[in-house]
């Protein structure tokens, strides 16, 4: 509980700092609309996955469609650079399908998916290049930290032409036991996750269109024999649309 409160307070404090100081600094750091900064409401489609190989790569067949939504504060440092902090509801997860016969996907299968949702706080340094009077392209990068909120897993099974059975369960954000023997189930995750993210896009007037990629650095669960590789880490690609509120 103490860690959750610290994370939430840090995220809210960072976002509030950017949004509250925006009005005071814009007049001194920018003389035009080259880099207006502001507070954006932002959301979009996320394509979530987890790394399945020791080198951190993923399988495209495991990609799961989800979403993200929240606020982004942009504090101009000068005409080309900004400090950005966000507070987002971020969907993550993955899916995996197994078939007894690869040529027959209508029978004898197990289809599993897990959809966790996190409170995510990114802090980025952004570089902007003007395209005109009130438009610019940007690239940004920095760290993020996430706290698991809720989620669910769904397993669909069909055997020997029978009816499909569906099992659903809620995700538990906790460590199950000390040796990790049960922590590799996709309904048991660590509460906190961190990593690096990169973003790029275009700002035009009050609108923002961009892409974002989250590269998780921490394992999503505790499997006792895999601490020396990059398996079981989140990889999330997002396409976002934002609107500047001020």
């Amino acid at each position: 509980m103490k860690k959750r409160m610290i994370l939430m307070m840090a995220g809210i404090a960072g976002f509030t700092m950017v949004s509250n100081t925006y009005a005071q600094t814009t007049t001194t750091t920018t003389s035009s609309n080259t880099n207006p900064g502001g507070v954006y409401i932002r959301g979009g489609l996320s394509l979530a996955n987890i790394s399945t190989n020791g080198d951190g790569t993923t399988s495209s067949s495991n990609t799961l469609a989800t979403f993200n939504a929240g606020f982004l504060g942009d504090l101009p440092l000068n005409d080309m650079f900004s400090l950005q902090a966000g507070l987002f509801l971020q969907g993550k997860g993955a899916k995996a399908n197994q078939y007894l016969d690869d040529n027959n996907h209508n029978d004898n299968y197990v289809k599993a998916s897990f959809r966790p949702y996190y409170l995510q706080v990114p802090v980025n340094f952004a570089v902007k290049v003007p395209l005109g009077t009130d438009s610019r392209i940007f690239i940004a990068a920095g760290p993020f930290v996430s706290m698991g909120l809720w989620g669910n897993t769904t397993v669909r099974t069909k055997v020997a032409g029978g009816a499909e059975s569906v099992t659903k369960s809620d995700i538990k954000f906790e460590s199950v036991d000390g040796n990790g023997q049960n922590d590799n189930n996709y309904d048991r995750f660590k509460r906190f996750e961190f990593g690096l993210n990169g973003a790029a896009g275009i700002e035009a007037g009050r609108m923002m269109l961009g892409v974002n990629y989250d590269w998780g650095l921490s394992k999503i669960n505790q499997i006792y024999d895999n601490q020396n590789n990059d398996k079981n880490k989140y990889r999330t690609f997002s396409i976002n649309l934002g609107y500047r509120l001020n």
Side-chain angles (χ1 to χ4, degrees):
M1 180 64 70
K2 193 172 184 179
K3 290 182 178 179
R4 298 184 207 173
M5 292 299 297
I6 292 174
L7 175 63
M8 293 182 70
M9 290 174 66
I12 294 172
F15 176 77
T16 302
M17 177 192 70
V18 171
S19 59
N20 285 350
T21 57
Y22 158 70
Q24 300 176 8
T25 59
T26 299
T27 56
T28 60
T29 59
T30 60
S31 57
S32 65
N33 290 332
T34 303
N35 186 14
V39 177
Y40 290 83
I41 181 171
R42 199 193 76 179
L45 171 70
S46 293
L47 301 176
N49 211 328
I50 59 168
S51 57
T52 56
N53 303 309
D55 60 359
T57 56
T58 64
S59 171
S60 59
S61 62
N62 294 339
T63 301
L64 179 75
T66 181
F67 73 94
N68 68 90
F71 296 91
L72 177 71
D74 185 298
L75 174 64
L77 302 177
N78 58 31
D79 283 348
M80 289 188 62
F81 303 115
S82 285
L83 179 65
Q84 298 177 337
L87 192 64
F88 296 98
L89 175 63
Q90 176 67 63
K92 302 192 180 188
K95 64 181 181 181
N97 299 330
Q98 296 181 340
Y99 303 95
L100 183 62
D101 182 358
D102 289 336
N103 296 318
N104 179 11
H105 291 184
N106 296 319
D107 197 10
N108 297 314
Y109 60 73
V110 176
K111 300 179 180 180
S113 64
F114 64 100
R115 297 176 179 271
Y117 295 93
Y118 290 78
L119 178 67
Q120 184 156 308
V121 180
V123 178
N124 290 339
F125 178 76
V127 180
K128 302 183 180 183
V129 178
L131 295 178
T133 302
D134 195 17
S135 62
R136 62 211 66 85
I137 59 174
F138 67 89
I139 58 172
F144 73 85
V145 62
S146 300
M147 181 182 72
L149 299 177
W150 76 86
N152 61 76
T153 64
T154 302
V155 179
R156 301 178 183 274
T157 306
K158 191 174 183 180
V159 179
E164 181 184 72
S165 64
V166 180
T167 302
K168 294 186 177 182
S169 60
D170 293 332
I171 290 175
K172 303 175 181 63
F173 290 99
E174 59 186 10
S175 177
V176 179
D177 54 33
N179 59 25
Q181 292 180 351
N182 296 318
D183 286 356
N184 58 347
N185 298 323
Y186 286 132
D187 63 350
R188 306 289 179 96
F189 294 139
K190 292 180 179 179
R191 172 72 67 177
F192 295 95
E193 184 238 352
F194 63 89
L196 300 174
N197 79 103
I202 184 170
E203 298 174 2
R206 289 183 174 271
M207 303 303 297
M208 171 194 292
L209 177 64
V211 296
N212 193 87
Y213 191 78
D214 293 341
W215 183 275
L217 297 178
S218 59
K219 292 184 180 294
I220 64 176
N221 47 26
Q222 299 181 28
I223 302 177
Y224 63 94
D225 63 349
N226 73 348
Q227 297 304 313
N228 295 322
N229 59 51
D230 282 329
K231 290 183 180 180
N232 292 334
K233 297 180 180 181
Y234 286 125
R235 306 286 186 259
T236 309
F237 174 79
S238 301
I239 303 173
N240 306 305
L241 181 64
Y243 178 78
R244 180 159 48 90
L245 300 177
N246 60 356

